[in-house]
Amino acid sequence: LTWISASLQFPTTGRRDYYRGMGCNASRSNPKDTRVLVTGGSGYLGQFLVDRLAADGYTILATTHSHNPELSVPVDKDNVEGLTVDGTDSKALQEIMNQFKPSVIINTMAISSPAQCEKIKEKAEKLNSAKAFVDAVKKSNPLSLVIQISTDQVYSGKGEVEGGYTNQSKTEPVNHYGRTKLMAEENIATLENHIILRSSGIYGPPPPRECSKGGTFLQMTMKLLKGDSKSPFFSEEKRSHVYVRDCVSIIRHFVFTYPIMKFKEASDRIFCMGGTGTWARDQYAIVTAEEIGLSKENILPMTREECKFGWAHTFTSPADISMNVTRITQQWSKPKTLREGIRDMIERGEIKRHVDPSGVNDED
């Protein structure tokens, strides 16, 4: 194993364990005393997460698989380390955990494209199921808090669920990606200290560094809205799209408050991490056009079944998998709506606002 920086020392004794047992009475975690391992640190969510946790003062080790850590991890920061590792190699993961001795492990690594998962099913299951990862945790740091990033695609989307899916709703994934992420939840649930966050579609600005994912559905939508032709946007596939900065804040909340949390049932450790509100893809495109000031002429609403492009039929996609975010709101705060998230990026200068050709901008 080659460490990108040798500046961090890994003590073998005296490590304070904040996460001993469920519902413990320990104080909240202190960033200066807490080591956080972020797997998938070169991924979209991972990059924003590492940046914020580092700014908080946590000591961070971010692992990557397909990217050079020097290009995808902010190793120029004194409290951040980067390392390349195969997420399916239990022994390599165990060695890293034995050396770094994390109090908190946030697992974001996954093959997250449903279409890609259908093409490489065995490889996707090997990584996404987190079997090697969980084995490594049990052998090296069994009492560490593990925060697992899961997905809303563990739900079937068949039929309307009043108020949206919850942590207690039946899980019945309709594609291989969803099935592998459900396997991960089952494996993670065997750990003593864990939280599972079922994320909806994450949107936000372009990633800050080299990333396997150049952007989100928002960037693709903006590109299509600016194109020369109409593009299909599915009207039946609804999700509780969530702003990446809200995801980061929610994860930080659990890192900070887990020592004083109590859980009555296993399902209490599962949270639906979505944004406020629900949008089908065509509605998503309309909101994007209105907020950024782009024409809506390129938006062609249709169902996936009606779409004649081959890419639309490479995997089964759930229809309405809107989630109920009440428990996240009670634990943390109210997540932003899609409009609020886009406006926040405009205010930060991350998205340029155009003049709507129609001269009308909906402020609803």
Side-chain angles (χ1 to χ4, degrees):
L1 300 178
T2 303
W3 297 91
I4 297 304
S5 167
S7 61
L8 298 181
Q9 301 299 316
F10 304 143
T12 56
T13 60
R15 180 172 65 95
R16 181 180 177 185
D17 188 351
Y18 293 96
Y19 306 109
R20 189 177 300 278
M22 296 185 294
C24 62
N25 294 318
S27 61
R28 295 180 179 184
S29 66
N30 182 345
K32 293 182 179 179
D33 297 330
T34 307
R35 292 174 175 268
V36 182
L37 170 61
V38 180
T39 63
S42 61
Y44 183 76
L45 174 58
Q47 291 197 11
F48 286 94
L49 183 59
V50 168
D51 284 351
R52 185 51 201 262
L53 291 176
D56 288 339
Y58 292 99
T59 298
I60 309 294
L61 172 60
T63 67
T64 73
H65 174 62
S66 58
H67 289 272
N68 183 342
E70 292 182 319
L71 301 177
S72 56
V73 175
V75 293
D76 57 317
K77 300 181 185 297
D78 292 338
N79 58 332
V80 178
E81 192 88 14
L83 180 67
T84 299
V85 67
D86 181 352
T88 65
D89 187 335
S90 182
K91 289 185 178 180
L93 289 169
Q94 184 181 344
E95 183 178 347
I96 290 171
M97 295 175 191
N98 280 333
Q99 289 187 61
F100 187 63
K101 302 187 184 304
S103 296
V104 181
I105 306 172
I106 305 170
N107 185 31
T108 73
M109 60 181 175
I111 297 172
S112 58
S113 165
Q116 187 71 1
C117 286
E118 296 296 334
K119 294 178 182 178
I120 50 173
K121 288 188 173 182
E122 185 175 342
K123 183 177 180 179
E125 180 175 332
K126 194 173 182 181
L127 178 65
N128 291 4
S129 67
K131 185 179 183 301
F133 169 81
V134 169
D135 287 345
V137 173
K138 288 181 176 179
K139 293 176 181 177
S140 61
N141 297 78
L143 293 179
S144 294
L145 167 62
V146 174
I147 299 179
Q148 169 71 17
I149 307 303
S150 189
T151 176
D152 55 1
Q153 296 212 28
V154 297
Y155 303 119
S156 69
K158 298 176 181 177
E160 294 185 4
V161 176
E162 185 176 354
Y165 285 96
T166 72
N167 60 310
Q168 295 183 333
S169 297
K170 181 181 179 180
T171 52
E172 190 179 6
V174 298
N175 56 46
H176 193 60
Y177 171 62
R179 286 189 286 271
T180 61
K181 294 297 283 185
L182 186 57
M183 291 177 193
E185 290 192 10
E186 293 167 350
N187 286 327
I188 294 292
T190 64
L191 297 173
E192 182 173 349
N193 296 303
H194 70 274
I195 293 288
I196 295 170
L197 299 176
R198 290 176 178 164
S199 173
S200 186
I202 300 174
Y203 68 91
R209 292 171 294 278
E210 183 179 288
C211 180
S212 56
K213 192 172 184 178
T216 67
F217 185 61
L218 176 64
Q219 280 70 44
M220 186 182 77
T221 298
M222 291 169 59
K223 182 178 180 180
L224 293 174
L225 291 174
K226 296 175 185 178
D228 298 326
S229 59
K230 293 182 180 294
S231 296
F233 288 90
F234 304 138
S235 56
E236 84 283 17
E237 295 182 7
K238 300 178 181 180
R239 303 182 75 180
S240 302
H241 298 274
V242 59
Y243 188 30
V244 66
R245 288 191 172 92
D246 282 350
C247 292
V248 170
S249 294
I250 290 166
I251 294 169
R252 288 173 64 233
H253 168 82
F254 285 111
V255 171
F256 186 65
T257 63
Y258 180 82
I260 60 174
M261 294 179 67
K262 294 183 179 181
F263 308 96
K264 294 181 179 179
E265 300 177 5
S267 62
D268 291 344
R269 293 175 175 271
I270 302 173
F271 293 84
C272 295
M273 188 169 68
T276 298
T278 299
W279 297 270
R281 293 194 179 201
D282 59 335
Q283 297 168 333
Y284 187 109
I286 290 171
V287 169
T288 301
E290 290 173 347
E291 291 302 323
I292 300 177
L294 296 171
S295 172
K296 304 174 189 175
E297 292 181 0
N298 283 353
I299 301 172
L300 186 61
M302 66 174 63
T303 64
R304 184 178 289 266
E305 185 177 357
E306 293 170 336
C307 184
K308 299 186 182 302
F309 291 104
W311 55 261
H313 307 287
T314 57
F315 66 96
T316 301
S317 184
D320 187 348
I321 47 176
S322 306
M323 296 193 296
N324 187 316
V325 298
T326 299
R327 293 182 68 237
I328 283 290
T329 300
Q330 291 171 342
Q331 277 286 333
W332 172 66
S333 184
K334 186 177 181 181
K336 287 181 175 60
T337 65
L338 177 60
R339 289 189 187 277
E340 291 169 341
I342 293 175
R343 290 176 184 178
D344 183 69
M345 286 181 275
I346 292 174
E347 290 177 2
R348 293 171 181 266
E350 296 168 335
I351 292 180
K352 181 180 178 181
R353 201 181 193 297
H354 300 260
V355 177
D356 188 342
S358 68
V360 178
N361 289 300
D362 188 352
E363 297 296 328
D364 291 344

